[in-house]
Amino acid sequence: MTTASRLPRGAAVALAATAAVLLAPATPASAASNAVPSYEVKINLTVAALDASHTPSAAVRSAFGITGSAKARSYSYYDTTALGLDAEGWSVRLRHKDGSSFEETYKKRFPVTGGDIDAALNTANAAGFDSSDTNYKAEVDWGYAKQTLSFSNEKSHSAKGYAGTTLPADATGRGWLVNDVPGKLADWGTTGWGKSALQTSRTHGPVSSQVYGGSWGASDDASIEVLPVVGAGGTGTEYVIELSFKTDSYADAATLHQDAIAVADSHGWLYRGDILKTQLILDRY
């Protein structure tokens, strides 16, 4: 005689129902949707876009709606000498804009292949970067020929006692960044990996630049950054001139990208390639 047959009919029915629930396959939790990125078009210009004082020429300013005066900023990247963070698609930057607090930026990059942004967003989602994590801002950097999806975690630190765009000593800045490291980086791959990498990092930099703002086309956040960097051989100075436009719309970004290239090319200012500032600074400093 089975256990169920010895029970009153009501109890047997309840037992059967409970068993059915326990034995039923678990319903998988719904995955969070992909993040929705903003866009930043980044087009590099040649030194022909600068005047004798290494500032954007009047013709360049007029062509791209640049009306603001120069704003200074300095920044360094922190990585190991072997660039271990960079190898995993992470960059960590400490930046100081004149008159502002220090900005700590922890950024994870995902390549966009063949313009397929959705595929990059799917890859990011599988790695834990989705619409549910509001600590990270998703953005597609759209260069001359290259697109990159990035997720940035922004934090700040008081600049009390630091004048202008002065940066802290290497050890001080590293200590701030280690203390504020977000969980995704701290435990990337294995527990504690990212935090350990930051603890053994050094500064790559510092570099200082001038940024000129304005608006152009569909973007009310246009800018030109003029960044002097040490030459590839370790001496001399080269100038990186980056024209950029921010927008929340893919369609607007596509139009801005096309139009900016056309205008720059027609005036002989266009650099036909992508200069990745982060990589340049990591490699040269």
Side-chain angles (χ1 to χ4, degrees), residues 77-129:
Y77 290 92
Y78 280 74
D79 204 338
T80 62
T81 298
L83 304 185
L85 292 170
D86 180 63
E88 291 294 321
W90 282 95
S91 66
V92 178
R93 183 187 68 196
L94 183 63
R95 184 168 68 181
H96 191 192
K97 297 178 182 178
D98 192 11
S100 300
S101 298
F102 289 102
E103 299 172 358
E104 303 170 338
T105 302
Y106 306 83
K107 181 181 290 188
K108 177 69 177 82
R109 303 182 305 276
F110 295 90
V112 176
T113 304
D116 193 345
I117 295 171
D118 286 338
L121 287 167
N122 289 339
T123 299
N125 193 321
F129 294 88

Side-chain angles (χ1 to χ4, degrees), residues 27-52:
T27 302
S30 298
S33 59
N34 285 347
V36 178
S38 60
Y39 298 84
E40 184 171 6
V41 174
K42 297 181 176 181
I43 304 299
N44 290 112
L45 305 178
T46 67
V47 290
L50 303 181
D51 60 22

